[in-house]
Amino acid sequence: MLWSLIKILAFVAAITALTYGGTQLMEVDGGMTVDVAGQEFTLSPLEMVFGLVALVVIVWLGLKLLALLVATFKFLNGDETAISRYFDRNRERKGYEALSEGMMALASGEGHLAMTKASRAEKYLQQPQLTNLLTAQAAEMTGDRKKAEETYKRLLTDEKTRFVGVRGIMKQKLSDGDTDLALELAKKAFAIKPKHEETQDVLLRLQAEKADWSGARKTLGAKLKSGNLPRDVHKRRDAVLALSEARDVLDEGKTIEAREAAVQANRLSPDLIPAAIMAAEGYIAQGNNRYASRVLTKAWNAQPHPDIAATYAEIAPDESAAERLKRFKALTKATPDHPETKMLMAELQIAAEDFPGARRALGDLVDTAPTARVLTLIAAIERGEGADDSVVRGWLTRALTAPRGPQWICDNCQHIHPKWGATCGNCGSFDTLSWRTPPENEVAMPVGTEMLPLIVGRSAPSDVPAEVVDADVADAKDDAPAKPENAQAKTDK
Ligand SMILES: [Zn+2]
């Protein structure tokens, strides 16, 4: 209501002002004289104002007309018109439809359909980086390796898809067993994407397989940096690689460098048995027996192992059996109940010809863990105590079929290795060998020559040659009283 009143009042005021202005202008004297082409126009002040307003309107209209003309010109040239945009959108829609159908086909395992859809999508979309991916996957699925490889090679040409191409070809080479080329491709893939975990693993495995230890250590470092490896695992694996490096350097005859590398590996992982042994051997060669004892004792406390004991013996090769027995007490002080300690002490007692002492040292191992080594030790004790030959033979016979006790076993494929190595000789896994007892169903191996290294040295034992043991098996079979059970009862008295 008030608003309408204001509007009416404003209208009346405007009319009044205009009328007033008009009459004022009419009353003004003079005017403007315009001289156009010899003709003279005389304008009064009022006509001048109307003329100005008309001029403004004409200029505005002219600009509008010009814009319309430009639009018409563009339309006639066919530039970005609604019609062409419509067709483009239609193509794109068809392309993406084919692409999504192709992906569905891939997910549902229809490789051939996926391939057809991929080529249709390619026709409409003209985006090779999208459709090539689909084609490569579909070709892999249908087992069309040639097509897959071709597509991977096309992916190599584009910066954005190069990694996928390299990885695809690398996997093909890996499955072909062409590890040389696979290694080169893995290096390339690693250079493009250093944080890609799968690439790191493949590269590390191949480098370890090819004994490129320093390269493998770099890859391991990258794994740690990108957070794909816990720090303690990195330390342990770095130690394994450092040790492998040390072994290679030693093979080249560079003993000093090898010693340093072994000491470094031992420092990284004091419980890595072969590293401790190699470091200790270096110390022994330098005459640093104290350091050698220290690293060996540390490793023994983490995991008692016969090789550690053998190296510990090398510290003083010429000592008497009694001296050795005394010195080894320091090594086994912290692990008195470990089977390895018991067997070691029994071996040393046998060497010192204290056979009852050896039996005491073995304790209840013959019942709790009757391994081939324990049974052979019992046989040696029986012989030392002057038991009947048939009794000794009985124990040795039993030893033949007894479990062998802990060995280097691959955690991945359960393959048993006679010696420790950085990679599994069977499945190629890295750092999977651990010293443990194989599963129950493991076939017992005949008693080898390495049974009693501390008693008879590292050569074949003169007491129990393998062939004699073999011959004894036949004898023992029809030798009833020689059964170990009977022998046990006899000796217990
Ligand atoms: Zn393995």
Side-chain angles (χ1 to χ4, degrees):
M1 194 62 200
L2 189 66
W3 182 231
S4 324
L5 190 68
I6 290 169
K7 276 204 280 191
I8 290 162
L9 284 178
F11 180 71
V12 172
I15 295 293
T16 316
L18 275 172
T19 323
Y20 179 73
T23 45
Q24 286 289 308
L25 276 170
M26 280 197 290
E27 278 165 22
V28 173
D29 286 330
M32 193 171 73
T33 311
V34 181
D35 190 4
V36 181
Q39 275 207 307
E40 250 183 40
F41 300 94
T42 309
L43 298 172
S44 70
L46 190 62
E47 284 168 330
M48 236 167 70
V49 170
F50 279 121
L52 261 173
V53 171
L55 197 68
V56 169
V57 171
I58 286 166
V59 169
W60 181 75
L61 276 175
L63 283 175
K64 277 275 155 195
L65 198 67
L66 197 70
L68 190 65
L69 272 172
V70 169
T72 316
F73 180 73
K74 272 189 175 173
F75 174 78
L76 290 177
N77 271 342
D79 172 41
E80 266 304 303
T81 61
I83 295 161
S84 65
R85 261 204 300 272
Y86 169 78
F87 280 119
D88 272 2
R89 229 173 272 152
N90 207 25
R91 277 180 78 83
E92 208 170 61
R93 190 177 53 77
K94 274 188 190 163
Y96 279 117
E97 223 165 61
L99 190 68
S100 69
E101 278 167 7
M103 278 156 101
M104 296 285 193
L106 199 66
S108 52
E110 297 165 286
H112 289 290
L113 184 65
M115 207 118 82
T116 321
K117 293 288 175 191
S119 61
R120 191 175 149 87
E122 167 68 48
K123 199 177 87 190
Y124 285 121
L125 284 179
Q126 315 263 316
Q127 287 199 30
Q129 70 270 33
L130 275 181
T131 45
N132 277 345
L133 278 178
L134 186 59
T135 311
Q137 295 269 305
E140 284 276 5
M141 184 176 281
T142 53
D144 189 350
R145 292 178 49 99
K146 233 179 122 200
K147 174 96 182 162
E149 196 180 342
E150 242 170 54
T151 322
Y152 285 137
K153 277 184 183 157
R154 257 184 279 142
L155 285 170
L156 290 181
T157 53
D158 189 340
E159 192 74 45
K160 274 182 268 178
T161 56
R162 181 167 299 150
F163 179 76
V164 182
V166 173
R167 179 174 170 270
I169 300 174
M170 177 185 84
K171 289 206 143 182
Q172 285 196 331
K173 296 296 162 200
L174 270 180
S175 69
D176 288 349
D178 186 352
T179 47
D180 288 325
L181 210 55
L183 178 63
E184 289 309 308
L185 288 161
K187 277 182 193 164
K188 249 184 212 150
F190 181 68
I192 301 171
K193 264 196 184 187
K195 289 186 179 174
H196 192 257
E197 196 177 353
E198 186 208 47
T199 306
Q200 292 172 342
D201 290 343
V202 171
L203 182 60
L204 189 63
R205 189 163 64 80
L206 290 172
Q207 280 169 327
E209 233 169 71
K210 305 264 170 209
D212 174 10
W213 308 117
S214 58
R217 286 185 83 177
K218 269 184 214 141
T219 313
L220 201 70
K223 246 174 108 68
L224 177 72
K225 248 193 243 162
S226 55
N228 291 334
L229 199 68
R231 195 159 283 277
D232 53 331
V233 178
H234 168 264
K235 222 173 167 185
R236 153 84 191 191
R237 298 208 170 149
D238 201 33
V240 171
L241 290 170
L243 173 67
S244 309
E245 220 175 354
R247 285 180 166 184
D248 281 4
V249 173
L250 190 67
D251 288 346
E252 287 165 24
K254 298 179 196 157
T255 43
I256 294 167
E257 284 95 326
R259 252 177 238 160
E260 278 166 8
V263 168
Q264 196 205 357
N266 176 241
R267 218 170 268 153
L268 282 167
S269 183
D271 54 354
L272 181 60
I273 293 164
I277 289 170
M278 196 168 169
E281 278 169 350
Y283 285 134
I284 293 168
Q286 286 171 321
N288 196 340
N289 290 348
R290 215 161 54 88
Y291 272 47
S293 306
R294 192 191 290 168
V295 296
L296 288 173
T297 309
K298 207 165 178 188
W300 178 276
N301 289 343
Q303 165 85 75
H305 188 282
D307 286 355
I308 301 176
T311 313
Y312 198 77
E314 278 169 31
I315 294 173
D318 303 323
E319 66 194 336
S320 71
E323 281 167 342
R324 180 159 286 183
L325 198 56
K326 201 173 148 226
R327 193 168 61 84
F328 266 74
K329 292 232 164 86
L331 177 72
T332 57
K333 204 167 50 189
T335 55
D337 297 323
H338 197 281
E340 198 59 52
T341 299
K342 290 180 178 171
M343 287 187 281
L344 172 66
M345 292 326 271
E347 283 180 25
L348 292 170
Q349 299 279 15
I350 291 168
E353 295 183 10
D354 178 0
F355 300 106
R359 199 184 286 283
R360 273 197 305 277
L362 271 184
D364 57 356
L365 272 189
V366 70
D367 300 317
T368 54
T371 60
R373 191 156 149 229
V374 169
L375 297 172
T376 313
L377 282 169
I378 299 270
I381 293 167
E382 293 284 3
R383 170 161 290 189
E385 285 178 338
D388 200 63
D389 258 7
S390 62
V391 175
V392 176
R393 238 185 276 136
W395 283 108
L396 289 174
T397 310
R398 206 178 139 194
L400 276 177
T401 50
R404 291 209 53 197
Q407 287 164 85
W408 290 115
I409 301 171
C410 172
D411 291 332
N412 187 41
C413 69
Q414 311 302 322
H415 188 79
I416 298 172
H417 297 71
K419 268 184 183 164
W420 181 89
T423 48
C424 169
N426 186 45
C427 70
S429 304
F430 176 69
D431 188 28
T432 51
L433 264 56
S434 55
W435 181 253
R436 59 188 171 90
T437 309
E440 284 280 310
N441 56 1
E442 186 245 338
V443 180
M445 304 291 287
V447 180
T449 49
E450 77 280 15
M451 286 308 299
L452 305 168
L454 289 174
I455 299 171
V456 290
R458 294 225 195 180
S459 55
S462 49
D463 274 5
V464 209
E467 52 274 23
V468 173
V469 173
D470 285 343
D472 281 349
V473 183
D475 288 354
K477 266 179 191 155
D478 31 50
D479 215 344
K483 276 194 183 141
E485 283 76 18
N486 300 347
Q488 178 69 52
K490 210 186 278 174
T491 49
D492 279 347
K493 275 173 208 162

